[in-house]
Amino acid sequence: MRMTRVFCLQIWAILWKDIRYELRSKQTWLGMGMFALLVLVIFNFTFDLHPDTVAAIAPGALWVAFIFASLLGLGRTVAAEREQTSLDRLLLTPVDRKAIYLAKLLGNLLFIGVVEIVALPVFAILFNLPIWQGSTLLTLILIVILGALGIASVGTLFSVLAAATQARELLLPILVFPLVVPVVISAVRATSVVLVPSVNEPPWLSLLLAFDVIFLSASTLLFQYVIED
Amino acid sequence: MSKLADQGSLLPANTESADVQAIEVHNLKKSYAFKPVLRNLSLTLPHGQRMALLGANGTGKTTLLRILVGLSKAGSGTVAINGWDSRYALQEIRQSIGFVAHQPYLYEELTVLENLLFFGQLYAVPRARERAMVLLERVGMARRVNERVRALSRGQVQRVAWARALLHQPSLLLLDEPETGLDQDGSVLIDTLLAEYAAHGGSILFTTHQLERALALSDQVVIINGGKVVYQHETVDLTLTDLRQTYQGIYGGKQV
């Protein structure tokens, strides 16, 4: 019982430190948010949107914006620690490595989640989509959270690996993109089904959840081997 | 002992048994990119003793310290800290070590006090705020607790780093050139803290390039060359001239 309490307190301490740090430095949130909005605007300009094509294009545009913005943030959070050698300081402490992973994951999830929730209304306006009707908005938010969890769970693990290299900005997408393809496909298809209900579709939301569970479990177990020298 | 004095004590929280060696290293090897840095290095630091580690740059001093604190893994050989084998009890080892290095290992965007409270939570320090305040008073930083670390000078940051290293009352201090960045007052302050820490039974291993400091602050000096111990002697019957001659003999007259 005491171990669980200490574990939770350690997660909270690291998470709160990251939130406070980000609120002061404003390096990650602003960059991610601006990037996501710019991608949505560019997609809006470059495609010739008609009522019959918008439902096919919009989910892809939304998730391209989200995944690139997420990678921008994922690269920054751990890289900022590495640059100041503070990750070493974290590793010197008797903190369970799983606690470090979960705290970093929750931080990333929070940063990505906030950016996505802010970008969602902009997306709806730019693509003229009726996401406010019925349970559409709630389902969309659920998909966004599950998609962000899938990206963040893999991304947090590999951002530690990439941060230890010179070419971290390049390496992180190369490592993460192939692995999160199942999450992205599920998220795009689930979003598409919400926007234009169709029959005979696989249960994309359940698949997304399953991928999240697999990635989260594997990443939590692997993190301590990745983070140690 | 009063509550305040207890909070300010440098006495290790769990004083180890005198039979247990503070550091026991046997046949340690470590290579980076196939280049050997440590070659069969063996070293023992008895509990409550102070040891100065001397050697030119690139001889493996920092690598040894990184292995001792658990930041690097040994290629082969064994490491035991306060009786704990580093292969099986790294968390216990981490709890018992305070580490000061060239880098302060602090968060620049957080204030001095926030940094110490953060690390206090990670080390599960009871009454961390009181302990932090007393330590900051000791290192002369009590008036700057609410300033962000990035606003401090190099020497002030190093003082906070010292408070951070002593926060959890470690029984072993590992110091990588601890005088780095400190002015004359800072050096005197740190020497006083070290003397008090040692007097309370704490063990200290520190690296330095200053032979005078090594002789004054340690019970024994060790010289490393080529990744292994080439000289070890107690300071009680060692003069600075002898030490300088030995050092120059090993490093071919290299200036210290």
Side-chain angles (χ1 to χ4, degrees), chain A residues 24 81 88-89 94 97, chain B residues 95 105 107 109 114 123 164:
Chain A
R24 288 181 188 167
E81 295 254 22
D88 273 357
R89 188 63 197 98
R97 277 40 190 156
Chain B
Q95 183 71 44
Y105 294 126
Y107 292 93
E109 291 294 334
E114 284 169 350
Y123 282 102
R164 189 257 305 140

Side-chain angles (χ1 to χ4, degrees), chain A residues 75-141:
Chain A
R76 282 298 319 154
T77 47
V78 179
E81 295 254 22
R82 286 270 193 203
E83 279 161 13
Q84 295 176 27
T85 67
S86 294
L87 198 57
D88 273 357
R89 188 63 197 98
L90 217 47
L91 296 178
L92 282 171
T93 60
V95 176
D96 192 322
R97 277 40 190 156
K98 289 188 186 75
I100 297 178
Y101 173 74
L102 290 173
K104 290 285 169 195
L105 170 67
L106 287 172
N108 283 329
L109 197 57
L110 186 69
F111 299 149
I112 295 170
V114 168
V115 168
E116 291 182 352
I117 298 297
V118 170
L120 210 52
V122 178
F123 161 75
I125 293 165
L126 286 174
F127 289 83
N128 195 23
L129 289 166
I131 65 166
W132 321 106
Q133 295 167 358
S135 62
T136 305
L137 183 62
L138 285 178
T139 315
L140 259 182
I141 289 174

